[in-house]
Amino acid sequence: MKRTLIFALAVCAVSSFAQYAGSLPVPKDMQKGFESISLSDAKDWLSYLAGPECEGRGSGQPGFQKAADFMAAKFKEFGLKPAGDNGTFFQNVPMVSGKILDGTQLTLGDSSVPIGEKLSVSGVGGDLLLKGDLIVVEAKGQSAKVPDGITGKIVLAYLDGVSRDFRRVLSEKAAAVIELPIQSHPIGTTAPSEASLNHESG
């Protein structure tokens, strides 16, 4: 079980003099709180939360907990009333993670490739036993778009310099993504400049 903050704090502005052009005046009932935000406080808090100490604040990671503890201390300092578990600012939520066991291999026909340094698998949970159509996706460059026809399929991907958004969408749509290094591509070390589907098998 991990802990996560019930509340989120957003620093929207530093002072009434720092608003963007055309912004509306601050409502009178919020003026006091608005003016209490100082440039130095905003800089200190955001520098800490976005800095190396919090290590990106990944869910379930030590940096995430550091950021959560920091904000809980601020909430207490501000006089907010905790509404979390056991009188805290936190709420327990279940988190599930999985791992590929050492020695796991991908077998296609008579060929096997160990999963690890040269092969990665993402978007898989549960028993890690998958059955379905296998589709090969080739993509190169930041402008490549995820092709249609991959939803619910097992994707064997040759990716070269694609964007983070490409990888996210690919993982969300596919039942599983098995990524092979572009150097192992059977027709060479380059892929098409746009994503394409090569073939599929049952």
Side-chain angles (χ1 to χ4, degrees):
M1 302 288 280
K2 300 293 183 182
R3 300 188 299 171
T4 186
L5 283 174
I6 287 180
F7 303 101
L9 181 65
V11 179
C12 299
V14 174
S15 72
S16 58
F17 301 104
Q19 295 183 74
Y20 59 88
S23 61
L24 297 175
V26 179
K28 290 184 178 181
D29 59 342
M30 297 182 181
Q31 190 73 37
K32 183 177 179 180
F34 187 87
E35 292 179 347
S36 71
I37 302 172
S38 69
L39 177 61
S40 60
D41 282 344
K43 183 177 180 180
D44 288 345
W45 300 345
L46 295 177
S47 294
Y48 176 78
L49 294 172
E53 296 91 343
C54 293
E55 306 170 302
R57 307 177 307 283
S59 297
Q61 298 178 6
F64 172 86
Q65 194 59 55
K66 288 180 181 179
D69 289 338
F70 175 85
M71 292 311 307
K74 290 297 180 186
F75 292 162
K76 184 176 180 180
E77 178 185 330
F78 300 155
L80 298 178
K81 294 181 179 181
D85 294 341
N86 302 316
T88 69
F89 287 106
F90 300 96
Q91 181 180 26
N92 289 319
V93 295
M95 295 188 67
V96 179
S97 63
K99 64 177 295 185
I100 304 297
L101 299 177
D102 294 340
T104 300
Q105 294 185 332
L106 170 68
T107 300
L108 298 173
D110 297 328
S111 300
S112 294
V113 181
I115 295 176
E117 183 178 345
K118 293 186 177 180
L119 177 65
S120 64
V121 179
S122 64
V124 180
D127 297 332
L128 299 181
L129 177 61
L130 295 170
K131 292 183 180 180
D133 293 334
L134 177 68
I135 294 181
V136 177
V137 172
E138 302 170 274
K140 180 179 181 181
Q142 292 287 305
S143 62
K145 303 297 182 183
V146 175
D148 296 328
I150 68 167
T151 301
K153 305 294 178 62
I154 301 170
V155 174
L156 186 63
Y158 293 96
L159 307 179
D160 185 8
V162 297
S163 66
R164 182 178 299 179
D165 189 58
F166 181 100
R167 292 178 182 276
R168 177 185 60 78
V169 174
L170 188 67
S171 293
E172 288 176 352
K173 289 186 175 183
V177 178
I178 303 168
E179 184 176 347
L180 288 165
I182 197 67
Q183 291 82 1
S184 67
H185 195 288
I187 61 172
T189 59
T190 60
S193 57
E194 295 294 333
S196 62
L197 298 179
N198 275 36
H199 65 270
E200 66 177 89
S201 57

